[in-house]
Amino acid sequence: MTRPLAITAALIALALLYVALGSGLDFGYVIPRRLIKLAAMVTGGIAVALASITFQTLAGNRILTPAVMGYEAVCLMMQALLVLILGTGSLILWGGQGSILITLAAMLAWSFLLHHWLFRRARGDIWFLMLVGIVLTMVISTFTQFIQLRISPGEFAVFQGFAQVSFERVETTRLIISALALTLVAALIWRRVPVLDVMALGRDQAISLGVDHARETRHLLALIAVLVAVSVSLIGPTAFMGIFVANAARAMARGPGHRQTLPVGAAVAIGLFLLAELAAAQVFDHRTTVGILINLTCGAWFLLLMLRRRSFA
C-alpha cells in the first residue's frame, strides 16, 4: 500500500471510530451531531494546515506560523473588546455568522500591517521576525487579559468558551459558510502551488526566476488571513498546532513540493483533531478538553523543535 493510501485509510478508520464509538447507533441525534463535528474538524484541519505551511514558505522558516505571529491573539483581543464595549450582545454576534466577518476583517488588517511594516523591514531575518512576532503576541495577549478583568464573571465564562478549541459550539450555517470560504481559498492556493515551490527556494532566488515576490507575498498573506478567520471563528484558536502539522507533513510527505505537503498536512491536522476528541471522551471521560490536549502535544513539539535548532546552530 502506498503512503498516501495508507494515510487516507488511517484517517477514514479514525473518522468511523469517532462517529460510531459509544454512539449507541443513535441516528436520531448522536451520530448526526458527530457528523457535524467531524465536518468542522475537516474544515478547521484543512484551514490550519494550508495557513501554516503557506505561511512558513513565505517566512522561510519552519517555526513561524500565523499563531506565533499574533494572528489568533488579535482575533481574541477583538473578541474581548467587543464583549467590553457591547456586553452580552457581542457574544450573540460572535456566536452567529458575524464572527466570520469580524474575524476576517481583523485578520486582513493584521496581514496588511505585517506585510507593510514587518516583512519589509525584516528582509529574511527570521529571528527578528520570530522575536517581534512573539513579543507582539505577548503584548496583545496581555492587553486581552487586561480587558477580561473589566468584564463581568458571566461574560468572562462565555468568552473563555470561545477562546479555546471546541467542536461543541459548531453551528450548521456557520459551518457551511466556513466550508465555502475554505473551498475558494484552497482552490486559489492550489493554483499557486508552482509559485510556492519557487518561493520556498528563498526571496532572491524566486525573484531571479521571475516571481513578483512582493505581490505574491501580499496575495498569499491575504489568503492566509481568510484561512485563519475560518479556523478561529469555527473551532477557536489552535496556538502551536500549526507548527506540529507543518513539520509532520514535511516529514511524512514523499517530496518537499507543496503538492505533496499540503494534502498530507491537512490529513495530519484532521487526524490530530480526531485523536484529541477521542482521547478527551474515551480516555479522560470529558474531564479535560480537546484544546488542552492539542496545546500540550503541540507545545512540547514546538519546544523540542526550538532545542533541536539551537543544538545545530
Side-chain angles (χ1 to χ4, degrees):
M1 181 181 290
T2 62
R3 187 176 297 180
L5 283 177
I7 294 174
T8 304
L11 203 58
I12 292 174
L14 266 178
L16 292 175
L17 184 65
Y18 166 71
V19 172
L21 187 62
S23 67
L25 297 180
D26 181 0
F27 289 92
Y29 178 76
V30 177
I31 289 183
R33 184 60 190 163
R34 289 190 181 183
L35 287 176
I36 291 175
K37 291 165 69 175
L38 178 61
M41 291 181 206
V42 173
T43 305
I46 294 174
V48 169
L50 295 187
S52 302
I53 295 173
T54 305
F55 191 87
Q56 288 190 352
T57 298
L58 296 184
N61 184 272
R62 296 188 178 186
I63 293 177
L64 297 179
T65 64
V68 175
M69 296 304 294
Y71 277 75
E72 294 179 349
V74 171
C75 176
L76 291 179
M77 184 186 71
M78 288 293 299
Q79 185 177 348
L81 276 174
L82 284 172
V83 173
L84 178 66
I85 296 171
L86 302 177
T88 53
S90 67
L91 298 177
I92 297 172
L93 175 66
W94 196 263
Q97 289 70 46
S99 65
I100 296 179
L101 298 177
I102 295 170
T103 310
L104 181 58
M107 295 301 99
L108 287 175
W110 187 246
S111 288
F112 179 83
L113 183 65
L114 280 182
H115 179 257
H116 285 271
W117 174 61
L118 193 55
F119 272 68
R120 288 184 176 180
R121 285 172 179 259
R123 290 292 183 187
D125 189 343
I126 296 305
W127 296 113
F128 173 77
L129 270 176
M130 190 171 73
L131 177 63
V132 174
I134 291 175
V135 170
L136 281 174
T137 302
M138 291 176 61
V139 170
I140 295 169
S141 299
T142 303
F143 183 66
T144 303
Q145 291 173 3
F146 171 76
I147 296 173
Q148 291 176 30
L149 294 175
R150 303 186 64 84
I151 61 180
S152 69
E155 293 169 339
F156 177 80
V158 179
F159 171 79
Q160 285 298 306
F162 286 108
Q164 296 179 359
V165 176
S166 174
F167 305 104
E168 300 297 334
R169 62 176 182 272
V170 174
E171 298 171 355
T172 306
T173 306
R174 190 149 37 119
L175 176 61
I176 293 172
I177 295 173
S178 300
L180 290 174
L182 173 65
T183 303
L184 177 62
V185 173
L188 292 174
I189 288 181
W190 194 254
R191 288 185 59 186
R192 281 183 159 80
V193 160
V195 175
L196 279 172
D197 288 341
V198 176
M199 294 180 76
L201 300 174
R203 179 177 177 275
D204 294 338
Q205 288 84 350
I207 292 174
S208 67
L209 291 172
V211 173
D212 187 341
H213 194 274
R215 189 187 67 177
E216 292 296 337
T217 300
R218 186 169 59 251
H219 289 170
L220 287 167
L221 280 176
L223 296 179
I224 290 170
V226 177
L227 292 171
V228 175
V230 166
S231 65
V232 172
S233 63
L234 187 64
I235 60 175
T238 53
F240 298 110
M241 181 178 170
I243 299 173
F244 177 85
V245 168
N247 285 279
R250 290 192 174 91
M252 296 171 66
R254 299 182 64 182
H258 289 77
R259 207 170 289 279
Q260 289 80 36
T261 56
L262 289 176
V264 174
V268 170
I270 297 167
L272 188 59
F273 280 144
L274 285 168
L275 287 173
E277 186 77 10
L278 282 169
Q282 306 299 330
V283 178
F284 296 99
D285 196 21
H286 297 290
R287 282 177 288 188
T288 187
T289 66
V290 173
I292 290 174
L293 294 176
I294 289 177
N295 286 338
L296 278 175
T297 304
C298 299
W301 176 270
F302 177 73
L303 184 61
L304 178 65
L305 202 62
M306 291 289 293
L307 293 175
R308 283 189 62 189
R309 288 182 68 87
R310 287 186 64 83
S311 67
F312 286 116

